[in-house]
């Protein structure tokens, strides 16, 4: 029997990278899945593989999360697909590669909409119904750049810092109602996040960062994330040796500032 039998999980950013790998891992554990990303064709491919991996039911819900005006309707549609959501994994996100003074404000707004406002709106819409059913788990993908600033990521780092503030508050406010919040904090995971990052004018970065290329596999990341959600852990660090920066920040903040200036941002 799988750890997530009879559980319904909604995953955003499910067509590639961490979201895709988590979908397969949850499918192996018997979860019913709702998969969201921008591209229907990619979602259909992932959904087919999830069924082969053991998911009893899989539904796809294509949507561009930068369109924040209709996210309440999206959440309502997701809930109605199975009549409940036990786990909401707010995973979708976009990164950036540009200096703060050169980054257009429209780019900052776009990144904040996708990375911060979309998870907030979806969570606020789902949360009352989740409480009404007796509880559930909300997971959200932040980043180690949500714990300290880093060059070329002013908007990305800001959005990931903001996730900590909102979701730690939700955890504190609703713990006694059966709600558990897991903040996923990846370092370097071998995905296309740097390829899909945008520059100062909102154009694709289109390059694989060397650090990203040397990161852990999405499958290894998914194992840690799924286990953390199952155990209701408040935070899970995912990555390799770069995670030491998290502890340096906590214990030696001035050293972290120095290293952040010296380490290659690509």
């Amino acid at each position: 029997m799988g750890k997530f039998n009879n559980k319904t999980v909604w995953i955003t950013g499910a067509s590639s990278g961490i979201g895709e790998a988590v979908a397969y891992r949850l499918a192996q554990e018997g979860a019913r899945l709702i998969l969201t990303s921008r591209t229907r064709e990619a979602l259909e491919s992932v959904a087919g593989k999830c069924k082969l991996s053991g998911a009893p039911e899989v539904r796809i819900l294509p949507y561009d999360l930068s369109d924040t005006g209709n996210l309440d309707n999206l959440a309502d549609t997701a809930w109605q697909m199975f009549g409940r959501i036990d786990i909401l994994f707010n995973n979708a996100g976009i990164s950036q590669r540009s200096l703060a003074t050169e980054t257009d404000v429209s780019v900052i707004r776009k990144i904040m909409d996708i990375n911060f406002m979309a998870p907030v709106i979806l969570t606020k819409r789902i949360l009352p119904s989740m409480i009404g059913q007796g509880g559930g788990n909300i997971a959200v993908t932040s980043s180690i750049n949500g714990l300290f600033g880093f060059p070329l990521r002013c908007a990305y780092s800001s959005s990931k810092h903001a996730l900590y503030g909102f979701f730690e508050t939700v955890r504190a406010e609703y713990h006694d109602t059966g709600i558990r919040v897991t903040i996923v904090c990846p370092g370097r995971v071998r995905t296309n996040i740097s390829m899909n990052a945008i520059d100062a004018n909102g154009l694709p970065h289109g390059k694989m960062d060397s650090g990203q290329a040397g990161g852990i596999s999405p499958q290894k990341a998914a194992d840690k994330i799924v286990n953390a959600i199952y155990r209701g852990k408040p935070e899970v660090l995912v990555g390799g040796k770069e995670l030491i920066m998290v502890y340096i920040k906590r214990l030696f903040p001035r050293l972290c500032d120095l290293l952040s200036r010296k380490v290659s941002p690509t």
Side-chain angles (χ1 to χ4, degrees):
M1 179 178 293
K3 293 178 180 178
F4 291 89
N5 277 3
N6 301 316
K7 299 295 185 183
T8 298
V9 186
W10 183 17
I11 305 171
T12 67
S15 64
S16 63
I18 288 174
E20 179 183 5
V22 167
Y24 297 149
R25 189 70 190 85
L26 287 169
Q28 293 168 0
E29 295 291 348
R32 294 185 297 264
L33 299 172
I34 303 167
L35 308 177
T36 291
S37 77
R38 290 179 300 171
T39 310
R40 176 178 293 274
E41 292 76 12
L43 285 178
E44 289 173 344
S45 174
V46 174
K49 294 175 183 176
C50 285
K51 291 176 183 176
L52 292 174
S53 296
E57 294 183 79
V58 185
R59 308 283 176 83
I60 66 170
L61 189 56
Y63 194 83
D64 183 347
L65 295 181
S66 66
D67 179 10
T68 57
N70 289 306
L71 288 176
D72 282 346
N73 291 333
L74 181 73
D76 291 344
T77 300
W79 188 274
Q80 292 161 8
M81 283 181 163
F82 293 108
R84 66 182 295 119
I85 292 173
D86 298 289
I87 300 164
L88 168 60
F89 184 20
N90 291 296
N91 171 68
I94 186 171
S95 192
Q96 161 221 1
R97 298 293 183 272
S98 55
L99 294 169
T101 55
E102 298 174 357
T103 304
D104 194 85
V105 171
S106 65
V107 171
I108 296 174
R109 286 198 178 107
K110 178 176 181 176
I111 291 172
M112 290 298 294
D113 277 347
I114 295 172
N115 291 4
F116 178 68
M117 289 307 303
V120 167
I121 294 168
L122 294 180
T123 298
K124 280 175 57 63
R125 191 68 169 189
I126 292 295
L127 190 55
S129 298
M130 193 176 274
I131 293 169
Q133 72 187 9
N137 192 302
I138 297 169
V140 60
T141 299
S142 181
S143 167
I144 61 171
N145 291 143
L147 298 171
F148 55 85
F150 201 68
L152 305 185
R153 290 161 178 80
C154 64
Y156 178 73
S157 185
S158 298
S159 68
K160 297 302 187 177
H161 272 74
L163 289 175
Y164 265 92
F166 181 83
F167 284 94
E168 285 182 344
T169 300
V170 170
R171 179 193 298 137
E173 290 177 342
Y174 297 102
H175 182 273
D176 291 345
T177 68
I179 298 298
R180 299 294 177 264
V181 175
T182 299
I183 299 178
V184 178
C185 187
R188 289 171 171 170
V189 182
R190 198 164 56 248
T191 71
N192 285 331
I193 189 169
S194 63
M195 293 286 293
N196 297 328
I198 54 179
D199 67 14
N201 299 305
L203 299 175
H205 177 62
K207 299 176 183 177
M208 174 65 77
D209 290 350
S210 58
Q212 206 78 48
I216 68 169
S217 70
Q219 293 75 26
K220 186 174 181 179
D223 286 342
K224 292 198 69 173
I225 292 166
V226 170
N227 182 58
I229 292 172
Y230 179 72
R231 294 171 58 192
K233 291 183 65 175
E235 181 185 58
V236 56
L237 301 177
V238 181
K241 61 184 179 180
E242 73 281 358
L243 297 180
I244 195 173
M245 284 288 286
V246 176
Y247 301 102
I248 292 174
K249 172 65 175 180
R250 291 171 180 171
L251 299 173
F252 309 104
R254 293 186 67 181
L255 177 58
C256 183
D257 286 346
L258 174 63
L259 293 175
S260 294
R261 297 196 299 270
K262 299 296 184 181
V263 175
S264 172
T266 59

mmCIF file of all heavy atoms in Angstrom, residues 150-171:
data_model
loop_
_atom_site.group_PDB
_atom_site.id
_atom_site.type_symbol
_atom_site.label_atom_id
_atom_site.label_comp_id
_atom_site.label_asym_id
_atom_site.label_seq_id
_atom_site.Cartn_x
_atom_site.Cartn_y
_atom_site.Cartn_z
ATOM 1 N N PHE A 150 21.428 37.058 -3.536
ATOM 2 C CA PHE A 150 22.472 36.514 -4.410
ATOM 3 C C PHE A 150 22.494 37.318 -5.698
ATOM 4 O O PHE A 150 21.438 37.728 -6.194
ATOM 5 C CB PHE A 150 22.174 35.038 -4.701
ATOM 6 C CG PHE A 150 23.363 34.244 -5.158
ATOM 7 C CD1 PHE A 150 24.414 33.982 -4.292
ATOM 8 C CD2 PHE A 150 23.431 33.765 -6.458
ATOM 9 C CE1 PHE A 150 25.514 33.238 -4.704
ATOM 10 C CE2 PHE A 150 24.519 33.025 -6.882
ATOM 11 C CZ PHE A 150 25.568 32.756 -6.011
ATOM 12 N N PRO A 151 23.654 37.588 -6.281
ATOM 13 C CA PRO A 151 23.725 38.430 -7.486
ATOM 14 C C PRO A 151 22.875 37.903 -8.646
ATOM 15 O O PRO A 151 22.740 36.693 -8.839
ATOM 16 C CB PRO A 151 25.217 38.388 -7.836
ATOM 17 C CG PRO A 151 25.913 38.139 -6.539
ATOM 18 C CD PRO A 151 24.994 37.218 -5.782
ATOM 19 N N LEU A 152 22.342 38.844 -9.412
ATOM 20 C CA LEU A 152 21.552 38.601 -10.628
ATOM 21 C C LEU A 152 20.173 38.021 -10.345
ATOM 22 O O LEU A 152 19.499 37.550 -11.255
ATOM 23 C CB LEU A 152 22.293 37.678 -11.612
ATOM 24 C CG LEU A 152 23.691 38.118 -12.044
ATOM 25 C CD1 LEU A 152 24.232 37.171 -13.119
ATOM 26 C CD2 LEU A 152 23.703 39.551 -12.551
ATOM 27 N N ARG A 153 19.724 38.073 -9.082
ATOM 28 C CA ARG A 153 18.450 37.452 -8.730
ATOM 29 C C ARG A 153 17.613 38.345 -7.806
ATOM 30 O O ARG A 153 16.942 37.857 -6.890
ATOM 31 C CB ARG A 153 18.696 36.096 -8.061
ATOM 32 C CG ARG A 153 19.213 35.037 -9.016
ATOM 33 C CD ARG A 153 19.871 33.906 -8.241
ATOM 34 N NE ARG A 153 20.364 32.824 -9.088
ATOM 35 C CZ ARG A 153 21.490 32.839 -9.766
ATOM 36 N NH1 ARG A 153 22.256 33.931 -9.760
ATOM 37 N NH2 ARG A 153 21.881 31.800 -10.476
ATOM 38 N N CYS A 154 17.624 39.657 -8.041
ATOM 39 C CA CYS A 154 16.939 40.563 -7.119
ATOM 40 C C CYS A 154 15.454 40.229 -6.988
ATOM 41 O O CYS A 154 14.913 40.173 -5.879
ATOM 42 C CB CYS A 154 17.133 42.022 -7.528
ATOM 43 S SG CYS A 154 16.419 42.490 -9.121
ATOM 44 N N ALA A 155 14.773 39.999 -8.108
ATOM 45 C CA ALA A 155 13.341 39.695 -8.067
ATOM 46 C C ALA A 155 13.086 38.267 -7.608
ATOM 47 O O ALA A 155 12.181 38.004 -6.810
ATOM 48 C CB ALA A 155 12.718 39.920 -9.445
ATOM 49 N N TYR A 156 13.890 37.342 -8.110
ATOM 50 C CA TYR A 156 13.728 35.937 -7.742
ATOM 51 C C TYR A 156 13.931 35.759 -6.240
ATOM 52 O O TYR A 156 13.101 35.141 -5.550
ATOM 53 C CB TYR A 156 14.733 35.094 -8.517
ATOM 54 C CG TYR A 156 14.693 33.618 -8.189
ATOM 55 C CD1 TYR A 156 13.646 32.821 -8.635
ATOM 56 C CD2 TYR A 156 15.714 33.019 -7.445
ATOM 57 C CE1 TYR A 156 13.609 31.467 -8.348
ATOM 58 C CE2 TYR A 156 15.689 31.667 -7.149
ATOM 59 C CZ TYR A 156 14.625 30.896 -7.612
ATOM 60 O OH TYR A 156 14.598 29.557 -7.315
ATOM 61 N N SER A 157 15.014 36.291 -5.713
ATOM 62 C CA SER A 157 15.302 36.166 -4.286
ATOM 63 C C SER A 157 14.220 36.842 -3.451
ATOM 64 O O SER A 157 13.794 36.309 -2.418
ATOM 65 C CB SER A 157 16.674 36.764 -3.969
ATOM 66 O OG SER A 157 17.029 36.548 -2.627
ATOM 67 N N SER A 158 13.754 38.004 -3.889
ATOM 68 C CA SER A 158 12.685 38.702 -3.170
ATOM 69 C C SER A 158 11.427 37.857 -3.089
ATOM 70 O O SER A 158 10.784 37.749 -2.035
ATOM 71 C CB SER A 158 12.368 40.032 -3.853
ATOM 72 O OG SER A 158 13.476 40.896 -3.843
ATOM 73 N N SER A 159 11.054 37.244 -4.202
ATOM 74 C CA SER A 159 9.830 36.431 -4.225
ATOM 75 C C SER A 159 9.958 35.217 -3.324
ATOM 76 O O SER A 159 8.997 34.817 -2.650
ATOM 77 C CB SER A 159 9.518 35.992 -5.662
ATOM 78 O OG SER A 159 10.485 35.077 -6.157
ATOM 79 N N LYS A 160 11.148 34.631 -3.273
ATOM 80 C CA LYS A 160 11.342 33.443 -2.452
ATOM 81 C C LYS A 160 11.435 33.798 -0.960
ATOM 82 O O LYS A 160 10.992 33.014 -0.108
ATOM 83 C CB LYS A 160 12.596 32.697 -2.910
ATOM 84 C CG LYS A 160 12.505 32.169 -4.349
ATOM 85 C CD LYS A 160 11.323 31.232 -4.539
ATOM 86 C CE LYS A 160 11.325 30.586 -5.920
ATOM 87 N NZ LYS A 160 10.224 29.619 -6.104
ATOM 88 N N HIS A 161 12.010 34.963 -0.626
ATOM 89 C CA HIS A 161 11.954 35.446 0.755
ATOM 90 C C HIS A 161 10.491 35.636 1.183
ATOM 91 O O HIS A 161 10.112 35.272 2.301
ATOM 92 C CB HIS A 161 12.682 36.788 0.876
ATOM 93 C CG HIS A 161 14.141 36.706 1.145
ATOM 94 N ND1 HIS A 161 15.060 36.341 0.183
ATOM 95 C CD2 HIS A 161 14.857 36.943 2.267
ATOM 96 C CE1 HIS A 161 16.277 36.362 0.705
ATOM 97 N NE2 HIS A 161 16.182 36.722 1.968
ATOM 98 N N ALA A 162 9.700 36.235 0.307
ATOM 99 C CA ALA A 162 8.300 36.525 0.638
ATOM 100 C C ALA A 162 7.514 35.252 0.927
ATOM 101 O O ALA A 162 6.632 35.242 1.794
ATOM 102 C CB ALA A 162 7.650 37.304 -0.500
ATOM 103 N N LEU A 163 7.825 34.172 0.218
ATOM 104 C CA LEU A 163 7.136 32.905 0.468
ATOM 105 C C LEU A 163 7.340 32.445 1.903
ATOM 106 O O LEU A 163 6.409 31.934 2.543
ATOM 107 C CB LEU A 163 7.635 31.839 -0.501
ATOM 108 C CG LEU A 163 7.214 31.988 -1.963
ATOM 109 C CD1 LEU A 163 7.901 30.925 -2.824
ATOM 110 C CD2 LEU A 163 5.694 31.886 -2.118
ATOM 111 N N TYR A 164 8.549 32.610 2.414
ATOM 112 C CA TYR A 164 8.806 32.225 3.809
ATOM 113 C C TYR A 164 7.901 33.008 4.756
ATOM 114 O O TYR A 164 7.300 32.444 5.677
ATOM 115 C CB TYR A 164 10.277 32.444 4.169
ATOM 116 C CG TYR A 164 11.119 31.212 4.010
ATOM 117 C CD1 TYR A 164 11.780 30.943 2.820
ATOM 118 C CD2 TYR A 164 11.245 30.291 5.048
ATOM 119 C CE1 TYR A 164 12.562 29.807 2.662
ATOM 120 C CE2 TYR A 164 12.017 29.149 4.909
ATOM 121 C CZ TYR A 164 12.670 28.906 3.718
ATOM 122 O OH TYR A 164 13.426 27.768 3.569
ATOM 123 N N GLY A 165 7.798 34.305 4.548
ATOM 124 C CA GLY A 165 6.976 35.120 5.430
ATOM 125 C C GLY A 165 5.522 34.696 5.431
ATOM 126 O O GLY A 165 4.893 34.555 6.500
ATOM 127 N N PHE A 166 4.956 34.467 4.244
ATOM 128 C CA PHE A 166 3.539 34.121 4.159
ATOM 129 C C PHE A 166 3.268 32.720 4.695
ATOM 130 O O PHE A 166 2.369 32.512 5.519
ATOM 131 C CB PHE A 166 3.049 34.232 2.707
ATOM 132 C CG PHE A 166 1.583 33.914 2.565
ATOM 133 C CD1 PHE A 166 0.634 34.890 2.820
ATOM 134 C CD2 PHE A 166 1.161 32.657 2.178
ATOM 135 C CE1 PHE A 166 -0.722 34.608 2.702
ATOM 136 C CE2 PHE A 166 -0.192 32.363 2.058
ATOM 137 C CZ PHE A 166 -1.140 33.338 2.320
ATOM 138 N N PHE A 167 4.047 31.748 4.243
ATOM 139 C CA PHE A 167 3.724 30.360 4.579
ATOM 140 C C PHE A 167 4.121 29.979 6.007
ATOM 141 O O PHE A 167 3.486 29.109 6.609
ATOM 142 C CB PHE A 167 4.310 29.414 3.532
ATOM 143 C CG PHE A 167 3.508 29.425 2.260
ATOM 144 C CD1 PHE A 167 3.860 30.254 1.214
ATOM 145 C CD2 PHE A 167 2.367 28.652 2.142
ATOM 146 C CE1 PHE A 167 3.096 30.292 0.046
ATOM 147 C CE2 PHE A 167 1.594 28.684 0.996
ATOM 148 C CZ PHE A 167 1.951 29.506 -0.055
ATOM 149 N N GLU A 168 5.119 30.632 6.580
ATOM 150 C CA GLU A 168 5.382 30.413 7.997
ATOM 151 C C GLU A 168 4.245 30.972 8.841
ATOM 152 O O GLU A 168 3.883 30.403 9.880
ATOM 153 C CB GLU A 168 6.713 31.041 8.400
ATOM 154 C CG GLU A 168 7.926 30.248 7.915
ATOM 155 C CD GLU A 168 9.247 30.843 8.359
ATOM 156 O OE1 GLU A 168 9.265 32.025 8.775
ATOM 157 O OE2 GLU A 168 10.265 30.126 8.285
ATOM 158 N N THR A 169 3.652 32.069 8.396
ATOM 159 C CA THR A 169 2.494 32.638 9.091
ATOM 160 C C THR A 169 1.295 31.701 9.009
ATOM 161 O O THR A 169 0.605 31.458 10.009
ATOM 162 C CB THR A 169 2.138 34.009 8.507
ATOM 163 O OG1 THR A 169 3.239 34.896 8.658
ATOM 164 C CG2 THR A 169 0.921 34.598 9.205
ATOM 165 N N VAL A 170 1.028 31.163 7.824
ATOM 166 C CA VAL A 170 -0.077 30.204 7.663
ATOM 167 C C VAL A 170 0.141 28.999 8.574
ATOM 168 O O VAL A 170 -0.797 28.512 9.226
ATOM 169 C CB VAL A 170 -0.197 29.765 6.192
ATOM 170 C CG1 VAL A 170 -1.172 28.596 6.047
ATOM 171 C CG2 VAL A 170 -0.665 30.931 5.324
ATOM 172 N N ARG A 171 1.380 28.518 8.635
ATOM 173 C CA ARG A 171 1.677 27.372 9.497
ATOM 174 C C ARG A 171 1.328 27.682 10.951
ATOM 175 O O ARG A 171 0.719 26.869 11.651
ATOM 176 C CB ARG A 171 3.152 27.008 9.383
ATOM 177 C CG ARG A 171 3.549 25.821 10.266
ATOM 178 C CD ARG A 171 5.049 25.685 10.371
ATOM 179 N NE ARG A 171 5.654 25.429 9.074
ATOM 180 C CZ ARG A 171 6.764 26.001 8.642
ATOM 181 N NH1 ARG A 171 7.398 26.891 9.405
ATOM 182 N NH2 ARG A 171 7.257 25.710 7.462
#
